[in-house]
Amino acid sequence: MLRKLTFVLALVAVAGFVAAQTTLPISPTDQGADAFEIGTTSASVDQTVTLKLPQATALHLASTQITFDLTSTGPGLYSPNNTAGLRCVYVEGPDETLKLGDAYYGQTQVIPGGIAYTAAVGGWDQISIAGELVTSYPPIKIVDGALDPDSKDYFVCYQSFVLQLFANYADWELTVERDDTTDQGIEHLYVQANTCAAFGSPTGLYDLPDGHSRNLIPTNLNNASTGDLSAGSTTCNPNSSWTDVLGVLAVKVNSDTYGDNVANLTYTLLAPNYVAPVVVTGN
């Protein structure tokens, strides 16, 4: 019986493969006027080939839930060998800010608590941060039997995620908007995005308070379609019309309330000169 079942399953697998490889007939196309030329030693005719595509945008977000879970503290969660993607280190001081130029829409870059991230060895989707690891909450550390007063400082946590973009036109914009649906939001939230074509430098982020939005990709990287951007890079997938983006999120833990502090983010890919439709409500 087992051999029969195995044989049947094998036939099903082969049938499925054959169905996937079905050859479809294509008949000759007859479009436009006939073209002909008669010559003694040669003859030439002209043909115009057009690939007609609609304007299109698409987004693929690989992680719709990002949780900075500090309820399970200890060396295991925050150790360098942790593979959960969460790192928390003590701040080095207040936030550092830098006003950016027109390519960044005149926005201000922020390094939360002076803790910047850098590109790590291992590919475009790897980042690292340096600093003293936080291993407890509330943050506290005992050294040689005495309390280290600096261990009570704020701390910064980082995580990253992948966002994939498709736009078959140039001068697109990727924005993020925060619109919290609860009163218990995250007090200090920061965000940035780096395409696989260019990691991005310097390594600050944008602060993102509730009710605000930020442009994530500078104009020197969005002046072509996402397919052209990927094809022109050695770190992107050259066989894809999509562009991979590494999103980076950071929180600075200050006086946030216990429980779930939630921020609601919306990422939007915009066509150039896009104007939101005007919605007219009742009288």
Side-chain angles (χ1 to χ4, degrees):
M1 181 64 183
L2 180 59
R3 293 183 62 186
K4 281 187 176 181
L5 180 59
T6 302
F7 180 70
V8 171
L9 290 176
L11 285 178
V12 171
V14 171
F17 178 78
V18 171
Q21 298 295 318
T22 299
T23 300
L24 297 176
I26 302 176
S27 300
T29 298
D30 183 10
Q31 296 182 25
D34 290 355
F36 66 91
E37 183 177 79
I38 300 174
T40 304
T41 58
S42 69
S44 301
V45 291
D46 296 327
Q47 184 182 60
T48 300
V49 179
T50 302
L51 174 62
K52 194 169 184 176
L53 299 173
Q55 183 175 354
T57 58
L59 283 178
H60 170 218
L61 179 60
S63 300
T64 57
Q65 297 286 335
I66 301 290
T67 302
F68 290 83
D69 188 354
L70 305 182
T71 60
S72 301
T73 55
L77 177 61
Y78 304 107
S79 69
N81 295 326
N82 171 43
T83 59
L86 172 63
R87 293 290 184 276
C88 298
V89 298
Y90 284 102
V91 300
E92 294 185 349
D95 289 359
E96 299 176 10
T97 60
L98 174 65
K99 187 72 172 179
L100 302 176
D102 292 340
Y104 295 85
Y105 302 91
Q107 299 174 125
T108 298
Q109 180 190 70
V110 178
I111 299 178
I115 302 298
Y117 70 93
T118 58
V121 177
W124 66 272
D125 60 346
Q126 301 293 308
I127 64 171
S128 65
I129 61 173
E132 184 179 1
L133 289 171
V134 178
T135 58
S136 68
Y137 184 84
I140 195 171
K141 184 174 63 176
I142 304 297
V143 179
D144 296 329
L147 173 64
D148 180 1
D150 292 334
S151 67
K152 300 180 190 177
D153 291 347
Y154 301 156
F155 59 92
V156 175
C157 300
Y158 274 89
Q159 289 198 70
S160 62
F161 62 94
V162 173
L163 181 67
Q164 295 177 314
L165 321 179
F166 177 90
N168 58 359
Y169 51 84
D171 299 324
W172 43 269
E173 296 180 20
L174 177 65
T175 67
V176 59
E177 181 180 7
R178 178 175 173 182
D179 185 14
D180 294 352
T181 57
T182 68
D183 293 334
Q184 192 168 323
I186 298 174
E187 186 172 2
H188 299 289
L189 178 66
Y190 311 82
V191 62
Q192 195 192 32
N194 301 294
T195 70
C196 56
F199 179 77
S201 178
T203 55
L205 305 94
Y206 301 120
D207 68 322
L208 190 60
D210 183 25
H212 290 71
S213 64
R214 300 287 184 255
N215 283 73
L216 294 176
I217 305 298
T219 57
N220 63 309
L221 290 177
N222 66 0
N223 54 9
S225 69
T226 54
D228 284 340
L229 184 61
S230 293
S233 168
T234 58
T235 53
C236 296
N237 181 359
N239 298 313
S240 177
S241 298
W242 295 65
T243 290
D244 293 328
V245 170
L246 183 68
V248 181
L249 288 171
V251 295
K252 183 174 69 175
V253 182
N254 180 6
S255 56
D256 299 273
T257 308
Y258 83 93
D260 291 346
N261 299 272
V262 180
N264 300 105
L265 308 185
T266 300
Y267 298 91
T268 304
L269 191 62
L270 295 172
N273 302 318
Y274 171 81
V275 177
V278 176
V279 178
V280 180
T281 57
N283 296 331

